[in-house]
Amino acid sequence: MSGATARTPAHALDIERIRADFPILNQDINSHPLVFLDNAASSQKPRSVIDAISSYYQRDHANVHRGVHTLSQRATDAYEAARSKLAGFLGATSDKEVVFTRGTTEAINLVAYSFVEPRVGKGDEILITTMEHHSNIVPWQLLCERTGAVLKVAPINDDGEIKLDEMFAMIGPRTKFVSVVHLSNALGTINPVRRIADAAHAAGAFVLVDGAQSAPRMRINVAALGADFFALSGHKTYAPTGIGVLWGKAELFDEMRPYQGGGEMILSVTFEKTVFNEVPAKFEAGTPHIAGAIGFGAAVDYIESIGIDAIEAHEHDLLLYAADRLPEIAGLRIIGCAREKAGVHSFVLDGIHPHDVGTILDNEGVAIRTGHHCAQPVMQRFGIAATVRASFGLYNTRAEVDRLVAGLGKVREIFG
Amino acid sequence: MSDLRDLYQEVILDHSKAPRNFGVLKGATHSAEGYNPLCGDRLELYLVLEGDKVTDAGFKGDGCAISTASASLMTEILKGMTRADAEAMFAAMHTVLTGEGEVPEGVDIGKLAVFEGVRAYPMRVKCATLAWHTMRNAIQEKAEEVATTE
């Protein structure tokens, strides 16, 4: 065991109190206390979020923006209060810049359809990077098929960092849109999105930042990031599944065409002409995931009660501690050694397939992710089929990293 | 959950570390490709059929211990089998892995019994069946289809 185990980091959160806030953590898996290190896939929910959803359904539920009755008013107030909380969380200047979606994936698809598609034609270019999640690749491929635009992909180096010089050289007069991940789910790399956004803007292109992984673990200020759009998912941010947010500049939202047609997104409908509603309602056709939005608002309250800076520091400590301890395992190689990194360690073990590692760790009560992490081009870049990924949340501890390392020791025992 | 040793039996570990009949088989008359989209495991299977009989078998691929050992043991056991024997063994393997149905009469599963431990790990059953689905496509001459475990 490393001597560092006993040391308590200076910024220490009251981790026992935090852990008590997450009911799911208090259980045994395969006769061992659960160690949940699959937060990049989806994080667990604090009681306050679960209670907010439950209380909404037990006391306040009705459809939003519809009725004149009390419950409809309460539901509407709670839904719009959640929007305000998200606006504050992201540093948005107005609630109108926050559109609720099903998640990051839908947010990106919305931008592709409503903003980018009308602006591109044959030969125009969309620029992404090698480390994108499939959700920031496939919508652009579909867009290119529909429009004849060309998808360009900026390369990454062996440490898992974007080759910025090459990326900047790829930005030119044909570049209409740049979509880049803030924090890579497969590598843990934090990308210099401000510099990328500035380069894109200088060429007249617009920029989306995929914040699915950064929003739960880094302070986000959309103005400082310099992006035109920012997408995040509730369920990775201690909130429910099925809810996410697209932040966008108000003036861009105003000029965009709707994404889906239906109720809520209209001001008036006749068979001759339909007048669309104002932003953000224009992009929220149909009855929204009201409870999800309320849960997302409660998650923001929870994160802010602890402090996103404290969470970031805590996870950074775990990341460094794990980077220190993981190499104790013979033949372990970390994939992704960027200088700026957060939240995630991807690794491979010589001669042992990640799925076998995953099964053995699960037997020890340790939940990690194995596979390609919906980022197959990253795997191809590193010449591997899959990795093991440990990803941290605000409730994880150094002792849990020790459990991970002990479990990997067991893997070595079995496989030699 | 069962003891991990029931899953990772010596025979499985041995075949995963030193797979038999590994590599492109020259002179293959039948071949097929398998892919498990869930985990990214890939497999190319090669068979030599003389008349109705499998006289040689080989495979290439990248997969976990269970899927590699399954393909390795399968290529050993297939040699000398007719198409009908191979189909019967496919059905028997399904029973071994899931506990559902019956091993067809007259089929001796032999070494394949080592895969009974997989039953306790439902997420891993597909790892073991990939090679068998691929084999089936090969002998049914559906080489153009990529076998999956769905």
Coordinates of all heavy atoms in Angstrom, one line a residue, chain A residues 30 351 353 355-364 370-372 376 384-386 410 413-416, chain B residues 1-5 7-8 13 16-17 35 37-41 62-66 121 123-124 127:
Chain A
N30 N -22.1 -8.2 -4.5 CA -21.3 -9.5 -4.4 C -20.6 -9.6 -3.1 O -19.4 -9.9 -3.1 CB -20.4 -9.6 -5.6 CG -21.2 -9.6 -6.9 OD1 -22.2 -10.3 -7.0 ND2 -20.8 -8.9 -7.9
G351 N -2.3 -8.3 -22.0 CA -2.7 -9.7 -22.1 C -4.0 -10.0 -21.5 O -4.4 -11.2 -21.4
H353 N -8.1 -8.9 -21.3 CA -9.1 -8.1 -22.0 C -9.9 -7.4 -20.9 O -10.2 -7.9 -19.9 CB -10.1 -9.1 -22.8 CG -11.0 -8.3 -23.7 ND1 -12.1 -7.7 -23.3 CD2 -10.9 -8.1 -25.0 CE1 -12.7 -7.2 -24.3 NE2 -12.0 -7.4 -25.4
H355 N -13.0 -6.8 -20.5 CA -14.2 -7.4 -20.0 C -13.9 -8.4 -18.9 O -14.7 -8.6 -18.0 CB -15.0 -8.1 -21.2 CG -15.9 -7.1 -21.9 ND1 -15.4 -6.2 -22.7 CD2 -17.2 -7.0 -21.8 CE1 -16.4 -5.5 -23.2 NE2 -17.5 -5.9 -22.6
D356 N -12.8 -9.1 -19.0 CA -12.4 -10.0 -17.9 C -12.1 -9.2 -16.7 O -12.5 -9.6 -15.6 CB -11.3 -10.9 -18.4 CG -11.7 -11.8 -19.5 OD1 -12.7 -12.4 -19.4 OD2 -10.9 -11.8 -20.6
V357 N -11.4 -8.1 -16.9 CA -11.1 -7.2 -15.7 C -12.4 -6.7 -15.1 O -12.6 -6.7 -13.9 CB -10.3 -5.9 -16.2 CG1 -10.0 -5.0 -15.0 CG2 -9.0 -6.4 -16.8
G358 N -13.4 -6.3 -15.9 CA -14.7 -5.8 -15.4 C -15.4 -6.8 -14.6 O -16.0 -6.5 -13.6
T359 N -15.4 -8.1 -15.1 CA -16.2 -9.1 -14.4 C -15.5 -9.4 -13.0 O -16.2 -9.6 -12.0 CB -16.2 -10.4 -15.2 OG1 -17.0 -10.2 -16.4 CG2 -16.8 -11.6 -14.4
I360 N -14.2 -9.5 -13.0 CA -13.5 -9.8 -11.7 C -13.7 -8.6 -10.7 O -13.9 -8.8 -9.6 CB -12.0 -10.1 -12.0 CG1 -11.9 -11.4 -12.9 CG2 -11.2 -10.2 -10.7 CD1 -10.6 -11.7 -13.4
L361 N -13.6 -7.4 -11.2 CA -13.8 -6.2 -10.3 C -15.2 -6.2 -9.8 O -15.4 -5.9 -8.6 CB -13.4 -4.9 -11.1 CG -11.9 -4.6 -11.3 CD1 -11.8 -3.3 -12.1 CD2 -11.1 -4.6 -10.0
D362 N -16.1 -6.5 -10.6 CA -17.5 -6.5 -10.2 C -17.7 -7.5 -9.1 O -18.5 -7.3 -8.1 CB -18.5 -6.9 -11.3 CG -19.9 -6.9 -10.9 OD1 -20.4 -5.8 -10.4 OD2 -20.6 -7.9 -11.0
N363 N -17.0 -8.7 -9.2 CA -17.1 -9.7 -8.2 C -16.5 -9.2 -6.8 O -16.9 -9.7 -5.8 CB -16.2 -10.9 -8.6 CG -16.9 -12.2 -8.2 OD1 -18.0 -12.4 -8.5 ND2 -16.1 -13.0 -7.5
E364 N -15.7 -8.1 -6.9 CA -15.1 -7.5 -5.7 C -15.9 -6.3 -5.3 O -15.5 -5.5 -4.4 CB -13.7 -7.1 -6.0 CG -12.7 -8.2 -6.4 CD -12.5 -9.2 -5.2 OE1 -12.2 -8.7 -4.1 OE2 -12.7 -10.4 -5.4
T370 N -16.1 -1.0 -19.0 CA -15.2 -1.6 -19.9 C -15.8 -1.4 -21.3 O -17.0 -1.4 -21.5 CB -14.9 -3.0 -19.6 OG1 -16.2 -3.7 -19.8 CG2 -14.4 -3.3 -18.2
G371 N -14.9 -1.3 -22.3 CA -15.4 -1.2 -23.7 C -14.8 -0.1 -24.4 O -13.7 0.4 -24.1
H372 N -15.5 0.4 -25.4 CA -15.0 1.5 -26.2 C -15.5 2.8 -25.8 O -15.2 3.9 -26.4 CB -15.2 1.2 -27.7 CG -16.7 0.9 -28.1 ND1 -17.7 1.8 -27.8 CD2 -17.2 -0.2 -28.6 CE1 -18.8 1.2 -28.2 NE2 -18.6 0.1 -28.7
Q376 N -15.2 4.9 -30.4 CA -14.4 3.9 -31.2 C -13.2 4.6 -31.9 O -12.2 4.0 -31.9 CB -15.3 3.1 -32.1 CG -16.2 2.1 -31.3 CD -17.1 1.3 -32.2 OE1 -17.3 1.6 -33.4 NE2 -17.7 0.3 -31.6
I384 N -6.3 -0.1 -29.9 CA -6.8 -1.1 -29.0 C -8.3 -1.2 -29.2 O -8.9 -0.4 -29.9 CB -6.6 -0.6 -27.5 CG1 -7.1 0.9 -27.4 CG2 -5.2 -0.7 -27.1 CD1 -6.8 1.5 -26.0
A385 N -8.9 -2.3 -28.7 CA -10.3 -2.5 -29.0 C -11.2 -1.9 -27.8 O -12.3 -1.5 -28.0 CB -10.6 -4.0 -29.0
A386 N -10.6 -1.8 -26.7 CA -11.3 -1.4 -25.5 C -10.4 -1.0 -24.4 O -9.2 -1.4 -24.4 CB -12.2 -2.6 -25.0
K410 N -6.2 -8.8 -7.9 CA -6.9 -10.1 -8.0 C -6.9 -10.5 -9.5 O -6.8 -11.7 -9.8 CB -8.3 -9.9 -7.4 CG -8.9 -11.2 -7.0 CD -9.5 -11.0 -5.6 CE -9.4 -12.3 -4.8 NZ -9.9 -12.0 -3.4
E413 N -3.8 -12.0 -10.2 CA -3.7 -13.4 -9.5 C -4.3 -14.4 -10.4 O -3.8 -15.5 -10.6 CB -4.5 -13.3 -8.2 CG -3.7 -13.5 -7.0 CD -4.7 -13.3 -5.8 OE1 -5.6 -14.0 -5.6 OE2 -4.4 -12.3 -5.0
I414 N -5.5 -14.1 -11.0 CA -6.2 -15.1 -11.8 C -5.6 -15.3 -13.1 O -5.4 -16.4 -13.6 CB -7.7 -14.7 -11.9 CG1 -8.4 -14.8 -10.5 CG2 -8.4 -15.5 -13.0 CD1 -9.8 -14.3 -10.5
F415 N -5.2 -14.2 -13.7 CA -4.6 -14.3 -15.1 C -3.1 -14.5 -15.1 O -2.5 -14.8 -16.2 CB -5.0 -13.1 -15.9 CG -6.4 -13.3 -16.5 CD1 -7.5 -13.0 -15.8 CD2 -6.6 -13.8 -17.8 CE1 -8.8 -13.1 -16.3 CE2 -7.8 -14.0 -18.3 CZ -8.9 -13.7 -17.6
G416 N -2.4 -14.3 -14.0 CA -1.0 -14.4 -13.9 C -0.3 -13.3 -14.6 O -0.8 -12.4 -15.2
Chain B
M1 N -23.0 -14.3 -6.0 CA -22.3 -14.7 -7.2 C -21.3 -15.8 -7.0 O -20.8 -16.0 -5.9 CB -21.5 -13.5 -7.8 CG -20.9 -13.7 -9.1 SD -20.5 -12.2 -10.0 CE -22.1 -11.5 -10.4
S2 N -21.1 -16.6 -8.0 CA -20.3 -17.8 -7.9 C -18.8 -17.4 -7.7 O -18.4 -16.3 -8.0 CB -20.4 -18.7 -9.1 OG -21.7 -18.6 -9.7
D3 N -18.1 -18.4 -7.4 CA -16.7 -18.3 -7.3 C -16.1 -18.0 -8.7 O -16.5 -18.6 -9.7 CB -16.0 -19.6 -6.8 CG -14.6 -19.4 -6.4 OD1 -13.9 -18.7 -7.1 OD2 -14.2 -20.0 -5.4
L4 N -15.2 -17.0 -8.8 CA -14.6 -16.7 -10.1 C -13.9 -17.8 -10.7 O -13.8 -17.9 -11.9 CB -13.6 -15.5 -9.9 CG -14.2 -14.1 -9.8 CD1 -13.2 -13.1 -9.4 CD2 -14.9 -13.7 -11.1
R5 N -13.5 -18.8 -9.9 CA -12.8 -19.9 -10.5 C -13.7 -20.8 -11.3 O -13.3 -21.6 -12.1 CB -12.1 -20.8 -9.4 CG -11.0 -20.1 -8.7 CD -9.7 -20.1 -9.6 NE -8.7 -19.3 -9.0 CZ -7.6 -18.9 -9.7 NH1 -7.4 -19.3 -10.9 NH2 -6.7 -18.2 -9.1
L7 N -15.9 -19.5 -13.3 CA -15.9 -18.9 -14.6 C -14.6 -19.1 -15.3 O -14.5 -19.5 -16.4 CB -16.2 -17.4 -14.4 CG -16.2 -16.5 -15.7 CD1 -17.4 -17.0 -16.6 CD2 -16.4 -15.0 -15.3
Y8 N -13.5 -18.7 -14.6 CA -12.2 -18.7 -15.2 C -11.5 -20.1 -14.8 O -10.5 -20.1 -14.1 CB -11.4 -17.5 -14.8 CG -11.9 -16.2 -15.3 CD1 -12.5 -15.3 -14.5 CD2 -11.9 -16.0 -16.7 CE1 -13.0 -14.1 -15.0 CE2 -12.4 -14.8 -17.2 CZ -13.0 -13.9 -16.3 OH -13.5 -12.7 -16.9
L13 N -8.6 -20.5 -19.1 CA -7.4 -19.6 -19.0 C -6.4 -20.1 -20.0 O -5.7 -19.3 -20.7 CB -6.9 -19.6 -17.6 CG -7.8 -18.8 -16.6 CD1 -7.2 -19.0 -15.1 CD2 -7.9 -17.4 -16.9
S16 N -7.3 -19.3 -23.5 CA -7.3 -17.9 -23.8 C -5.9 -17.3 -23.9 O -5.6 -16.5 -24.8 CB -8.1 -17.1 -22.7 OG -7.3 -17.0 -21.5
K17 N -5.0 -17.9 -23.2 CA -3.6 -17.4 -23.2 C -2.9 -18.1 -24.4 O -2.0 -17.4 -25.0 CB -2.9 -17.8 -22.0 CG -3.3 -16.9 -20.8 CD -2.6 -17.4 -19.5 CE -3.3 -16.8 -18.3 NZ -2.8 -17.6 -17.1
Y35 N -19.0 -10.5 -34.9 CA -18.7 -9.2 -34.2 C -19.7 -9.0 -33.1 O -20.9 -9.2 -33.3 CB -18.9 -8.0 -35.2 CG -18.7 -6.7 -34.7 CD1 -17.6 -6.3 -34.0 CD2 -19.7 -5.7 -34.8 CE1 -17.4 -5.0 -33.4 CE2 -19.6 -4.4 -34.3 CZ -18.4 -4.1 -33.6 OH -18.3 -2.8 -33.1
P37 N -21.1 -6.2 -31.0 CA -21.1 -4.7 -30.9 C -21.1 -4.2 -29.5 O -20.6 -3.1 -29.2 CB -22.4 -4.3 -31.6 CG -23.3 -5.5 -31.6 CD -22.4 -6.7 -31.6
L38 N -21.5 -5.0 -28.6 CA -21.5 -4.6 -27.2 C -20.1 -4.4 -26.6 O -19.8 -3.4 -25.9 CB -22.2 -5.7 -26.3 CG -22.4 -5.4 -24.8 CD1 -23.5 -4.3 -24.7 CD2 -22.7 -6.7 -24.1
C39 N -19.2 -5.3 -27.0 CA -17.8 -5.2 -26.4 C -16.8 -5.0 -27.5 O -15.6 -4.8 -27.1 CB -17.5 -6.4 -25.6 SG -17.6 -7.9 -26.5
G40 N -17.1 -5.0 -28.7 CA -16.2 -4.8 -29.8 C -15.4 -6.1 -30.2 O -14.4 -6.0 -31.0
D41 N -15.7 -7.2 -29.6 CA -15.0 -8.4 -29.9 C -15.2 -8.8 -31.4 O -16.3 -8.7 -31.9 CB -15.5 -9.6 -29.1 CG -14.9 -9.6 -27.7 OD1 -14.2 -8.6 -27.4 OD2 -15.2 -10.5 -26.9
D62 N -9.9 -10.8 -31.8 CA -9.5 -10.1 -30.6 C -10.7 -10.1 -29.7 O -11.7 -9.6 -30.0 CB -9.2 -8.6 -31.1 CG -8.7 -7.8 -29.9 OD1 -8.1 -8.4 -29.0 OD2 -8.9 -6.6 -29.9
G63 N -10.5 -10.7 -28.6 CA -11.6 -10.8 -27.6 C -11.2 -11.1 -26.2 O -10.0 -11.2 -26.0
C64 N -12.1 -11.2 -25.4 CA -11.9 -11.5 -23.9 C -11.5 -13.0 -23.8 O -11.5 -13.8 -24.7 CB -13.1 -11.1 -23.1 SG -14.5 -12.2 -23.5
A65 N -11.2 -13.3 -22.6 CA -10.7 -14.7 -22.3 C -11.8 -15.7 -22.7 O -11.6 -16.8 -23.2 CB -10.4 -14.9 -20.8
I66 N -13.1 -15.4 -22.3 CA -14.2 -16.3 -22.6 C -14.4 -16.5 -24.1 O -14.5 -17.6 -24.6 CB -15.5 -15.7 -21.9 CG1 -15.3 -15.4 -20.4 CG2 -16.6 -16.7 -22.2 CD1 -15.0 -16.6 -19.6
Y121 N -23.0 -15.6 -15.1 CA -22.7 -14.2 -15.5 C -23.4 -13.9 -16.8 O -22.8 -14.0 -17.9 CB -21.1 -14.2 -15.7 CG -20.3 -14.5 -14.4 CD1 -20.1 -15.8 -14.1 CD2 -19.9 -13.4 -13.6 CE1 -19.4 -16.1 -12.9 CE2 -19.2 -13.7 -12.5 CZ -18.9 -15.0 -12.1 OH -18.2 -15.3 -11.0
M123 N -24.1 -11.4 -18.4 CA -23.5 -10.4 -19.3 C -22.4 -11.0 -20.1 O -22.0 -10.4 -21.1 CB -22.9 -9.2 -18.4 CG -23.9 -8.5 -17.6 SD -25.0 -7.5 -18.5 CE -24.0 -6.1 -19.0
R124 N -21.9 -12.2 -19.7 CA -20.8 -12.7 -20.4 C -21.2 -13.9 -21.4 O -20.3 -14.5 -22.0 CB -19.8 -13.2 -19.4 CG -19.3 -12.2 -18.5 CD -18.7 -11.0 -19.2 NE -17.5 -11.3 -20.0 CZ -16.3 -11.5 -19.5 NH1 -16.0 -11.3 -18.3 NH2 -15.3 -11.8 -20.4
C127 N -20.2 -13.5 -24.9 CA -18.8 -13.7 -25.2 C -18.6 -15.1 -25.7 O -17.8 -15.4 -26.6 CB -18.0 -13.4 -24.0 SG -18.3 -11.8 -23.2

